[in-house]
Amino acid sequence: MYYDLHIHSCLSPCAEAEMTPNNICNMAMLKGLDLIAVSDHNSCRQQPGMEAASAKTGIRLLYGAELQSMEEVHLLALFRSLEDCRNLQTWIDEVMPQIPNDPDYFGSQEILNGMDEQIGIEKRLLLVSLNAALEECIDAIHACSGIAVPAHVMGRENSIMNQLGFIPEELDYDALELRNEKEKEEVLNLHPWMREKDTIWLIDSDAHRLIDISEREHQMSEETLERLWRKR
């Protein structure tokens, strides 16, 4: 199946207003994708709207968020159920700094329903580091039956390579996200021990605009999808 598991909705202040649940699902269908996840910054609150929109279009959905750890590392959290994702939101609320958003500077943070109607606004700024270290974020994701994926690991601000300079061998991640296939060899060359691991690699868009959602090019088998949860 063709997938894109790192898409931002209009809840993320850095995303375009066009990134509504229905627009995302319909664009993903037009592009021939089978499986998607919206992974907003430090929030799961767009997921009920995504669930309703995906049910109308028939596209398969995982539930997600993109956490920012105390080290300013971005980490995808992916779930198979809305309930599990909501459980992570409870934890996020406990470790989220209470910094108000300035929509004129950072952008609006809209929560929409399955009809793309606004049902709320996140007033806290989402573009912040949580009061939790990277390992704590991973533990929280796993405690909610999710999988933890260091996001865009090479060459991006807030990547684990940019912030830490390496991927710790003992880090309990479930997959690694790349921007393209070429980056895989770069990661392996920098981490020789990883060649012995059964690593799952994801290539996602990190789309903040509809046009940037992945085309029908990156595939995952049902077996690989199940392997993501093999330890959970």
Side-chain angles (χ1 to χ4, degrees):
M1 61 187 146
Y2 294 93
Y3 69 91
D4 188 350
L5 305 181
H6 190 169
I7 301 170
H8 289 272
S9 81
C10 56
L11 175 55
S12 293
C14 46
E16 298 293 327
E18 66 185 6
M19 299 298 279
T20 67
N22 281 281
N23 283 350
I24 290 170
C25 290
N26 286 319
M27 179 60 80
M29 292 290 288
L30 285 172
K31 292 197 170 194
L33 299 183
D34 305 299
L35 175 68
I36 62 170
V38 159
S39 303
D40 283 313
H41 291 290
N42 289 329
S43 182
C44 304
R45 288 199 160 91
Q46 201 73 284
Q47 299 305 315
M50 286 304 307
E51 183 176 69
S54 68
K56 287 190 292 184
T57 58
I59 196 164
R60 193 169 174 182
L61 184 71
L62 293 180
Y63 305 85
E66 184 178 23
L67 306 185
Q68 182 170 309
S69 74
M70 192 180 293
E71 301 90 344
E72 300 187 3
V73 172
H74 282 185
L75 181 71
L76 294 184
L78 298 171
F79 302 89
R80 290 190 284 191
S81 78
L82 180 57
E83 181 182 1
D84 290 340
C85 199
R86 280 175 164 156
N87 289 336
L88 183 72
Q89 183 66 57
T90 300
W91 176 83
I92 291 173
D93 289 339
E94 295 172 357
V95 296
M96 171 78 81
Q98 302 299 308
I99 301 172
N101 180 40
D102 180 350
D104 293 329
Y105 184 81
F106 294 105
S108 62
Q109 300 179 153
E110 296 184 74
I111 304 168
L112 307 182
N113 64 16
M115 300 295 291
D116 289 353
E117 299 166 331
Q118 186 186 106
I119 57 172
I121 295 176
E122 176 58 67
K123 295 183 179 180
R124 299 169 302 175
L125 178 62
L126 296 175
L127 298 177
V128 296
S129 291
L130 301 175
N131 294 316
L134 180 58
E135 291 84 356
E136 292 177 89
C137 292
I138 292 175
D139 288 345
I141 294 166
H142 288 163
C144 297
S145 303
I147 60 167
V149 184
H152 43 69
V153 297
M154 293 292 294
R156 283 284 308 271
E157 186 179 354
N158 299 115
S159 70
I160 192 170
M161 289 296 297
N162 190 64
Q163 297 303 115
L164 302 186
F166 69 105
I167 301 172
E169 186 171 358
E170 69 277 8
L171 196 66
D172 191 20
Y173 58 83
D174 301 289
L176 294 174
E177 184 191 56
L178 307 171
R179 295 177 299 174
N180 53 64
E181 191 70 30
K182 179 182 176 182
E183 290 185 341
K184 183 189 299 186
E185 199 59 33
E186 295 181 59
V187 175
L188 292 173
N189 287 338
L190 291 167
H191 305 84
W193 53 266
M194 204 178 286
R195 294 185 182 275
E196 305 302 320
K197 289 191 67 172
D198 186 19
T199 303
I200 295 175
W201 307 86
L202 303 178
I203 301 177
D204 297 310
S205 69
D206 193 9
H208 290 67
R209 303 181 302 162
L210 289 173
I211 195 172
D212 293 331
I213 292 173
S214 291
E215 302 291 338
R216 188 178 172 88
E217 52 187 342
H218 307 303
Q219 287 185 276
M220 179 193 306
S221 67
E222 288 287 349
E223 179 185 10
T224 298
L225 183 61
E226 287 303 313
R227 280 174 53 213
L228 283 169
W229 272 270
R230 65 190 181 281
K231 297 186 291 184
R232 307 300 152 215

